Amino acid sequence: MSVNVYLNFNGNCRAAAEYYAEVFETEPPQIMTFAEAPPHPDYPLPEEAKDLVLHTRLTIDGSHVMFSDVFPNMPFVEGNNITLAIVSDDPEKLMARFHKLKEGGKVDMELQETFWSKLYGQVTDKFGIQWQFNYEGQDM
């Protein structure tokens, strides 16, 4: 299990990830755009979102730093654009920690299966810290 920093950007994520890859001499980022996500019939993807970064990750001096653009018309406040991501191959630990952090907090996305993970969710704890939970097990 690890805790990773997750940085959000307002449309300039690709440039930021490529810049950090150069600065920290890492492999170039493998970028997934919103257009690459499976379409949802109830939520058509706006044209302005298609080239935005849904997810990318760099390994900087042994630490994983993840990046994405915020979806169009979602709130973005520079300086408050960091979340902590719990990444684990133990779904029971993920669920237990998610449920503890949601006490007195707010669930932003219930734990559920997504196209990239068998178990993913988001919660803002009672202190206003935003957490992401992501299962990365062998059976993905």
Side-chain angles (χ1 to χ4, degrees), residues 35-50:
E36 294 174 85
H40 191 291
D42 296 332
Y43 303 102
L45 188 65
E47 193 63 38
E48 66 270 20
K50 290 184 178 178

Side-chain angles (χ1 to χ4, degrees), residues 16-78:
E18 290 170 350
Y19 170 75
Y20 293 131
E22 182 181 324
V23 167
F24 294 105
E25 300 174 345
T26 71
E27 293 291 320
Q30 294 183 351
I31 293 175
M32 177 188 297
T33 65
F34 282 100
E36 294 174 85
H40 191 291
D42 296 332
Y43 303 102
L45 188 65
E47 193 63 38
E48 66 270 20
K50 290 184 178 178
D51 291 329
L52 295 177
V53 175
L54 173 64
H55 178 78
T56 191
R57 176 175 78 179
L58 297 176
T59 301
I60 299 174
D61 295 334
S63 295
H64 295 299
V65 180
M66 297 182 282
F67 306 78
S68 71
D69 280 310
V70 295
F71 200 75
N73 300 317
M74 295 298 292
F76 176 84
V77 178
E78 193 170 295

Side-chain angles (χ1 to χ4, degrees), residues 5-10 12 16 20 66-70 75-84 130 132:
V5 175
Y6 207 110
L7 303 172
N8 294 116
F9 293 85
N10 199 20
N12 58 348
Y20 293 131
M66 297 182 282
F67 306 78
S68 71
D69 280 310
V70 295
F76 176 84
V77 178
E78 193 170 295
N80 291 345
N81 52 326
I82 297 173
T83 60
L84 298 176
Q130 293 179 322
Q132 297 181 56

Side-chain angles (χ1 to χ4, degrees), residues 112-123:
Q112 60 189 279
E113 186 169 340
T114 65
F115 70 91
W116 69 86
S117 176
K118 297 248 184 229
L119 192 62
Y120 177 84
Q122 298 175 6
V123 65

Side-chain angles (χ1 to χ4, degrees), residues 66-111:
M66 297 182 282
F67 306 78
S68 71
D69 280 310
V70 295
F71 200 75
N73 300 317
M74 295 298 292
F76 176 84
V77 178
E78 193 170 295
N80 291 345
N81 52 326
I82 297 173
T83 60
L84 298 176
I86 305 293
V87 180
S88 177
D89 62 358
D90 186 333
E92 288 79 27
K93 277 188 181 177
L94 278 177
M95 288 186 282
R97 291 179 176 171
F98 180 90
H99 292 297
K100 285 180 182 178
L101 283 173
K102 78 177 188 180
E103 291 176 20
K106 176 179 82 89
V107 173
D108 301 308
M109 181 178 177
E110 281 292 347
L111 285 170

